Amino acid sequence: MGTLPDGSVTGRISGGSTTASFSAGVSCFGGQPSGSIKGSITTFTGTGTSKFSFSSSNAAIVGTLSSNLQFVEGKFTNVTLKKDGVVVDTDCVAILTAEKLTNNSWAGSLSIICPEGTELVVFGIFTGTVSVLKQVLCKPLL
């Protein structure tokens, strides 16, 4: 990725009993998506707390809007997911969205879905920084 991504998101989303903290940058170079994401998710259940970490440098779809409606979206493949420091899966998919609601308010969502059945989803008010350098939309050629 270049020095400045077309879109970046850094911060946290809290929704219900789950909190995600992450950093992601996405760009479109020559019509091909690029970017990375990394972070952690903490979820509380009736029996305790589970702590997950995740990372990927394989952006599969990138979209940003830089007009009145500012928006950043990234789909990442080959996501490595760890639970309490132990690898759960290395072939997960992560989908991140952040959408501007007002000058000081953003809504966000983060989903991590793994083939062996693990699904982590958090959505709500996003706190952190979102930057949209330019409007892009790209996905790999078939």
Side-chain angles (χ1 to χ4, degrees):
M1 224 168 33
T3 56
L4 290 176
D6 295 330
S8 64
V9 181
T10 302
R12 72 191 276 139
I13 301 170
S14 293
S17 60
T18 305
T19 300
S21 299
F22 54 88
S23 177
V26 295
S27 290
C28 192
F29 290 115
Q32 295 295 310
S34 66
S36 62
I37 188 169
K38 65 180 177 178
S40 62
I41 295 177
T42 303
T43 185
F44 302 96
T45 63
T47 59
T49 302
S50 294
K51 295 184 180 186
F52 296 88
S53 62
F54 58 92
S55 64
S56 173
S57 58
N58 297 302
I61 299 175
V62 168
T64 63
L65 286 174
S66 58
S67 60
N68 290 338
L69 172 69
Q70 290 194 350
F71 182 81
V72 175
E73 179 177 48
K75 176 181 177 184
F76 301 87
T77 58
N78 301 111
V79 175
T80 297
L81 179 68
K82 296 179 181 179
K83 180 178 180 182
D84 299 322
V86 177
V87 173
V88 173
D89 204 323
T90 59
D91 195 27
C92 303
V93 172
I95 300 169
L96 167 69
T97 63
E99 180 178 352
K100 188 174 186 177
L101 301 175
T102 67
N103 282 339
N104 300 318
S105 178
W106 289 76
S109 69
L110 175 66
S111 301
I112 298 178
I113 301 149
C114 301
E116 51 65 61
T118 302
E119 291 185 23
L120 300 168
V121 178
V122 61
F123 59 92
I125 298 300
F126 172 80
T127 55
T129 59
V130 179
S131 171
V132 179
L133 186 61
K134 69 180 180 179
Q135 184 170 313
V136 297
L137 174 60
C138 63
K139 58 185 179 179
L141 300 173
L142 296 177

